[in-house]
Amino acid sequence: MTDGSDRHTDVENLETAGPLPEPGRGDDASPTVPARNPRDDGDEPRTPDASHFVAVLASTTGFEAAVWVLLRYVPEYLQATGVGAPAIGAFGTFWLAARWFGRGRNAPARWRVIAGAAAAAVGLSLWALIPELVAGSAVTAWLLVAAGGVGVAAWAHAGPDGPVGQWSLDDGDGTATPDRAGWALAALAPSVAIFALARSFQAGYRVSLALAAALGLTVAVLWAAGGLDVSPPGRSSSRPRRRASLGDVVGRFGLTTVSLFVVVAVTSLPDLSVVVLGRRLAPAATFGLFLAAELVTGAAVARVGPRVVDAVGVRAATAYASVAAAAFPLLVVTAPASPLVFGALFAVYGSRSLGRVARERAEALPEPAEALPARAGADRDDSAPDRRELLVATAPLLGGVLYAVNPVLAFGAATAIGAVGGWERVRAVDADASADR
Amino acid sequence: MTNTQTPTKPTGVKRWLTTVDHRDVGRLYIALAAVAGAWGGLDAMAVRTELVTPGTGVWGAQTYDAFFTTHGLTMLFFFATPLAFGLANVVVPLLIGADDMSFPRVNALAFWLLPPALLLVRAGTIGQLAGISWLAPPATGWTMYPPMSAEQAGVGLDFALIGLHLSGMSTVAGAINLVVTIVAERGDGTPWHRLDIFTWSMLTTAGLVLFAFPVLGSTVVMLLLDRNVGTTYFAVEGGGPLLWQHLFWFFGHPEVYILVLPAMGIVSLLLPRFAGRKLFGFRYVVYSTLAIGVLSFGVWGHHMFATGIDPRLRASFVAVSLAIAVPSAVKTFNWIATLWNGRVRLTVPMLFCLGAVGTFVLGGVTGVFLAAAPVDQVLHGTYYVVGHFHLVLVGMIVSALFAATYYWFPLVTGRLYDVRLGRVHFWLTLGGTLLAFVPMLLVGQLGLPRRMATYPEAFVPLQTVATVGAYVLGIGQVVWLWNVGSALWRGDRVEAADVGPGHRGVGATPEWTALDSPDAEPDGRRGDAAPWDRRRER
Ligand code: HEM
Ligand SMILES: [Cu+2]
């Protein structure tokens, strides 16, 4: 603007380089109109901000949920492209370890969300290329899996709430809140539809990958254009995490050995098919329905769990949750292959979060949560890294090796370890109770 | 309400079913275009979804063929053309100071031919979804070349041909109306030499329609007769399949300019307003528009270089095709010169204008390569062609149309849109376009044929980029729908004096006076009509 006035001569010269155009009715009357309207406070008219907010919120949370859904199917995808079980397990270990080393989140900085979403989009796109390149060279394929994984992990780390890291591969009981279940169901629905339509699991999964990648780029652009000034309502980014009890760690270790292989095991059962509108659903779509059952009971527990715990007592609730969680792996490989049985199995498995509700109840009831003294194995410590989590990260690798030997062995081991963890949990409740007395 | 006009418009549904007001008809056109655009967009997503895997992963070859056929037909005839005519309907009479279109009833008729035409063209899709075996969508490509189109079984294609015929009648009726309106209804303030650039473009466009669409109309009837009555217009023993290509492209090439001229007019009108300058070389922009109008009827043979037409004929088509690039380039240079030393304001319409100019360079230059017959021998029938025309059609035309919908949004809806969402929409559209269509240029140069559901594995990486780009483009339009929807639902109402910079602030033009004086509406034909009226109720 400073050199505006002397530039005008240039402008006019330039225009008279040809015959001056007659100003048409639709033309600017003069070339010297002010560049900005005085009333212009930046760009354009007042705007309904809420619609932008809703768009950011919906696409960001939708993307998180979509990544979650995709991660549930990664092992199946890798297996379909010929990757062996130990390698799939190694992927899980890599993922969880990366999460452990990347822990310690700050409030979401805008540029980190943008970069994370863009990296995830690239990573997901790379994953979509795996089948062709795996045929070419195993090394390239592995580089692709890892590079894609790094991209997705970047989002898990930088995303506004990091739920991908929090509710993905290690099957803790932290998955379910009604909100999250709602979003996950919303992301699951199109995937189930795609799997039902596609001619092969691979094709359907690759379509889902491409769609999610596009959504990731959308998220990046939305945040680049403003994003959210606050983290979305109802989701705090730095909720203090309770240090896990010994029983929790062992139980989670057990489940995590095979959590990756659940999808592989379930989709390999040929009898397990649902017929919808005269069409046999593809196994992956059927698995999606089971996942939905798990999410729904999980959400229900989040709603009514506290009342249930109050009614039956902490000990009973903990025992129930421990059994539901520990029995699940063995039942997956031994239960009769009927959709109803498996639907019920997943639904019961989803209700395992009753254990967490019971724990929270137990902590909240006797004394204010802040003033909690050290308890048997359940001390509160937000800052110090919990090295035991790193131990859990090795579980998928172990599970993969066992699975390669024999699936029933792997799932049986998971149940055995889970049972030990459950027993320890119940014991801790009893110990607490006697300490209180 | 201060409004005491006597003959009031009906309200509610009746208003929209009976209106002959050019602005309401224009709004109907725009709404129909939005619906058709979404429908054709879903087709495109389905096409790209199939291409995620090199084999037939999702739909299978026949369904894939149907998807790209209905995609092309829907987008060209029911999205782009109606959107341009809808915008013209709203603003041309205002720009030239006319009371309304010359023939308001013909105007309404032209619109109301379109919904049945759309349903006819898409009848096959509906039939397929409903499981009606004899009603399958056409799977011939939008160019419907015989002998394939003469032989394809089922009435879906016949319905589509009838639908195209109807849509052609609609477009011709609309064009007649526009020509007569511009020639005969201009107000005192608008002699020829003060006609604005958008109106010039629409006048030329309408002229092209008058010569091109009747050819399409008769050609599809000939095919209909070949299919159903046993005539031999395009049979080998009769006129021959090549006759179709001559007739179709005699319509088809002007059609692409019917689509691009309104877009060029929009850019020429809007870009100067946000550059703080007059349109550079206004007169030459008009001349180039008229030149394109004339030349566009002399280049159809460039779609037939690979058919073995006489080499001398081919040479002349090369010459004219290269020549038609000149006026397009003239416009581009004029736009750039307009920006030069201008003070550019990156409003949402301006972003779309700049994106349009940029991608037009890419799309236009790739077209010039195709115009050279030897190059076209190699590239004809490959993805390169698809990349070329989508960079023009999506990158230039759709972007310019969006620029116009944002610019005139307050005029058409009486509401303000969310600017940030508009910007997001722009970046997703531009980024999606480039991601989707530049890889097509590359795979085309590597020799990948178009219109195939499968492809060799080596093309997977580029095809995947293109698919992700297409999905980004698709999601971007969802953002647009959300923006428009929430603006209509709860957006700020327009205060006549507060439409913002670029509207009132810079070079106020006559169409905006409609906001200032809603009571001065033509013929008192309005009651609750103009939505900006409602601002007074607050
Ligand atoms: C700059 C001047 C342009 C030149 C020299 C040009 C040249 C060509 C040529 C030679 C082809 C035939 C390629 C082939 O099939 O082998 C072609 C195809 C096409 N062009 Fe352009 N073009 C130009 C601008 C445009 C514009 C402005 C549009 C759209 C508004 C457009 C839309 C198309 C379409 C739709 C096709 C493909 C039709 C089909 O086969 O389905 N072109 N162009
Ligand atoms: Cu052409």
Side-chain angles (χ1 to χ4, degrees):
Chain A
M1 273 288 223
T2 46
D3 57 346
S5 47
D6 31 356
R7 250 209 229 157
H8 277 151
T9 37
D10 297 354
V11 173
E12 254 130 32
N13 285 343
L14 189 62
E15 292 214 327
T16 45
L20 244 185
E22 281 282 316
R25 245 187 100 126
D27 272 344
D28 291 352
S30 139
T32 58
V33 284
R36 278 183 177 279
N37 187 309
R39 286 188 298 102
D40 183 3
D41 48 6
D43 2 60
E44 282 223 359
R46 298 161 295 139
T47 61
D49 250 337
S51 51
H52 181 258
F53 182 81
V54 171
V56 176
L57 188 62
S59 56
T60 308
T61 321
F63 181 54
E64 284 169 358
V67 170
W68 176 76
V69 170
L70 286 170
L71 280 174
R72 297 302 299 240
Y73 285 97
V74 165
E76 176 75 2
Y77 183 56
L78 292 177
Q79 202 229 18
T81 47
V83 176
I88 295 176
F91 167 79
T93 293
F94 162 78
W95 175 269
L96 290 177
R99 204 194 98 199
W100 190 83
F101 285 109
R103 76 195 178 282
R105 309 171 36 74
N106 313 321
R110 207 164 68 130
W111 69 266
R112 283 172 62 215
V113 178
I114 298 169
V122 174
L124 295 170
S125 311
L126 285 178
W127 277 357
L129 309 179
I130 290 173
E132 277 70 36
L133 295 171
V134 90
S137 122
V139 178
T140 356
W142 263 107
L143 286 178
L144 272 187
V145 176
V150 168
V152 180
W155 166 252
H157 183 57
D161 198 16
V164 179
Q166 280 178 25
W167 27 291
S168 58
L169 300 179
D170 71 330
D171 251 322
D173 50 14
T175 59
T177 65
D179 266 12
R180 275 189 184 165
W183 282 105
L185 285 172
L188 205 49
S191 294
V192 168
I194 293 169
F195 286 132
L197 282 172
R199 300 186 162 201
S200 69
F201 166 75
Q202 237 189 35
Y205 191 72
R206 292 168 81 177
V207 170
S208 307
L209 283 173
L211 268 173
L215 191 56
L217 290 177
T218 307
V219 169
V221 171
L222 274 163
W223 280 78
L228 303 175
D229 310 327
V230 290
S231 51
R235 317 159 67 228
S236 74
S237 49
S238 54
R239 183 190 317 133
R241 285 262 265 164
R242 191 182 131 279
R243 194 172 154 92
S245 72
L246 181 62
D248 284 349
V249 174
V250 175
R252 208 158 66 238
F253 186 93
L255 283 181
T256 307
T257 47
V258 290
S259 59
L260 276 175
F261 297 98
V262 171
V263 59
V264 179
V266 170
T267 52
S268 67
L269 296 173
D271 297 341
L272 204 58
S273 72
V274 180
V275 177
V276 177
L277 300 172
R279 267 180 82 122
R280 256 175 84 101
L281 274 194
T286 313
F287 180 72
L289 298 181
F290 297 152
L291 274 187
E294 182 190 332
L295 287 167
V296 168
T297 51
V301 166
R303 267 273 141 79
V304 301
R307 260 176 286 153
V308 174
V309 173
D310 289 349
V312 303
V314 170
R315 187 174 195 278
T318 307
Y320 166 81
S322 301
V323 172
F328 177 73
L330 193 60
L331 287 176
V332 164
V333 284
T334 54
S338 126
L340 277 182
V341 171
F342 267 72
L345 187 57
F346 275 79
V348 171
Y349 182 57
S351 68
R352 72 191 180 284
S353 48
L354 195 64
R356 189 193 45 175
V357 176
R359 213 159 52 228
E360 284 166 2
R361 256 353 229 185
E363 284 165 10
L365 279 179
E367 55 262 292
E370 279 71 26
L372 262 170
R375 288 176 171 278
D379 44 338
R380 205 172 262 279
D381 189 347
D382 300 335
S383 52
D386 189 346
R387 279 176 213 288
R388 293 174 302 177
E389 294 288 329
L390 203 53
L391 196 71
V392 174
T394 62
L397 188 58
L398 173 68
V401 173
L402 292 180
Y403 192 89
V405 178
N406 182 342
V408 179
L409 174 65
F411 279 79
T415 290
I417 303 172
V420 173
W423 177 76
E424 161 63 23
R425 268 187 202 137
V426 177
R427 197 200 59 76
V429 171
D430 288 343
D432 267 7
S434 56
D436 283 349
R437 229 180 279 128
Chain B
M1 291 284 287
T2 54
N3 173 21
T4 49
Q5 296 283 332
T6 27
T8 52
K9 255 189 196 173
T11 55
V13 177
K14 202 168 165 208
R15 163 187 172 193
W16 294 106
L17 290 179
T18 58
T19 183
V20 292
D21 177 339
H22 71 98
R23 276 198 243 154
D24 280 352
V25 173
R27 290 185 184 113
L28 286 172
Y29 264 110
I30 294 169
L32 178 93
V35 171
W39 201 347
L42 283 178
D43 289 330
M45 295 301 116
V47 167
R48 285 314 312 181
T49 297
E50 176 62 61
L51 296 171
V52 168
T53 51
T56 48
V58 183
W59 311 115
Q62 182 71 21
T63 315
Y64 174 83
D65 293 354
F67 273 131
F68 71 67
T69 303
T70 49
H71 162 69
L73 292 171
T74 309
M75 285 304 199
L76 290 171
F77 294 99
F78 299 98
F79 165 66
T81 316
L83 186 48
F85 273 76
L87 287 166
N89 241 300
V90 175
V91 297
V92 164
L94 299 175
L95 282 169
I96 64 175
D99 289 346
D100 198 321
M101 299 290 268
S102 282
F103 313 116
R105 278 159 201 278
V106 173
N107 201 22
L109 173 78
F111 168 77
W112 285 108
L113 285 175
L114 280 177
L118 174 62
L119 289 180
L120 280 168
V121 169
R122 301 300 314 236
T125 312
I126 300 165
Q128 200 177 35
L129 287 176
I132 305 170
S133 61
W134 45 266
L135 193 56
T140 55
W142 81 283
T143 50
M144 297 173 293
Y145 282 1
M148 191 196 232
S149 57
E151 286 158 9
Q152 196 194 316
V155 296
L157 181 52
D158 298 297
F159 280 10
L161 290 171
I162 298 171
L164 285 183
H165 193 83
L166 265 190
S167 94
M169 284 162 55
S170 150
T171 313
V172 170
I176 293 173
N177 217 342
L178 261 180
V179 172
V180 177
T181 304
I182 295 170
V183 171
E185 299 280 323
R186 276 171 294 118
D188 293 338
T190 321
W192 280 113
H193 68 277
R194 292 185 53 139
L195 205 60
D196 68 277
I197 190 67
F198 179 63
T199 304
W200 271 115
S201 303
M202 286 313 301
L203 179 65
T204 317
T205 304
L208 289 183
V209 167
L210 293 185
F211 289 97
F213 268 81
V215 178
L216 174 75
S218 19
T219 310
V220 297
V221 168
M222 286 150 81
L223 182 58
L224 212 50
L225 294 177
D226 270 14
R227 282 173 59 81
N228 295 295
V229 184
T231 52
T232 57
Y233 290 110
F234 306 120
V236 177
E237 65 273 23
L242 217 54
L243 176 61
W244 168 274
Q245 294 195 27
H246 281 293
L247 292 173
F248 183 86
W249 288 115
F250 187 81
F251 147 79
H253 190 87
E255 162 70 2
V256 307
Y257 282 97
I258 288 165
L259 296 172
V260 85
L261 284 177
M264 291 169 156
I266 288 167
V267 173
S268 304
L269 185 74
L270 301 190
L271 187 126
R273 298 195 180 180
F274 298 102
R277 297 205 41 204
K278 281 191 277 195
L279 178 62
F280 181 84
F282 182 95
R283 190 176 291 178
Y284 296 96
V285 177
V286 173
Y287 292 159
S288 68
T289 303
L290 299 174
I292 286 177
V294 175
L295 288 174
S296 66
F297 282 97
V299 300
W300 80 89
H302 67 211
H303 296 271
M304 302 168 64
F305 285 150
T307 57
I309 52 172
D310 188 320
R312 286 161 298 179
L313 211 52
R314 216 159 61 190
S316 73
F317 279 124
V318 170
V320 187
S321 297
L322 292 177
I324 202 172
V326 173
S328 301
V330 166
K331 286 171 187 291
T332 308
F333 287 125
N334 278 307
W335 294 326
I336 295 172
T338 305
L339 292 172
W340 193 268
N341 270 348
R343 275 155 293 175
V344 173
R345 291 205 322 275
L346 292 179
T347 58
V348 178
M350 184 59 160
L351 284 173
F352 272 100
C353 283
L354 295 176
V357 175
T359 16
F360 181 61
V361 172
L362 205 52
V365 166
T366 49
V368 177
F369 284 104
L370 288 174
V375 178
D376 188 67
Q377 295 281 356
V378 179
L379 295 177
H380 177 75
T382 69
Y383 267 89
Y384 185 91
V385 177
V386 184
H388 150 66
F389 67 76
H390 279 95
L391 283 168
V392 188
L393 283 167
V394 182
M396 164 78 194
I397 297 176
V398 174
S399 291
L401 290 172
F402 273 129
T405 53
Y406 280 111
Y407 182 70
W408 284 311
F409 195 82
L411 188 67
V412 174
T413 65
R415 305 287 186 134
L416 301 175
Y417 56 86
D418 184 302
V419 175
R420 276 202 287 184
L421 280 183
R423 279 202 216 104
V424 169
H425 175 220
F426 165 73
W427 287 109
L428 290 176
T429 302
L430 180 70
T433 304
L434 294 177
L435 272 182
F437 301 123
V438 172
M440 293 192 193
L441 294 176
L442 302 178
V443 294
Q445 264 168 332
L446 294 171
L448 186 64
R450 63 191 276 210
R451 293 179 171 169
M452 302 289 228
T454 59
Y455 55 88
E457 289 190 354
F459 292 101
V460 166
L462 283 171
Q463 288 279 33
T464 303
V465 174
T467 299
V468 172
Y471 286 163
V472 169
L473 191 57
I475 295 174
Q477 310 324 306
V478 176
V479 172
W480 180 78
L481 279 177
W482 165 246
N483 198 359
V484 172
S486 53
L488 289 178
W489 176 42
R490 53 176 297 286
D492 286 348
R493 298 226 157 93
V494 171
E495 307 277 347
D498 183 34
V499 193
H503 297 99
R504 321 288 306 137
V506 178
T509 44
E511 79 271 21
W512 293 104
T513 56
L515 280 181
D516 285 335
S517 51
D519 293 331
E521 277 273 288
D523 315 346
R525 251 193 289 103
R526 47 168 287 290
D528 70 332
W532 41 83
D533 240 21
R534 289 186 237 131
R535 72 186 187 277
R536 295 185 178 155
E537 292 160 16
R538 294 214 296 197

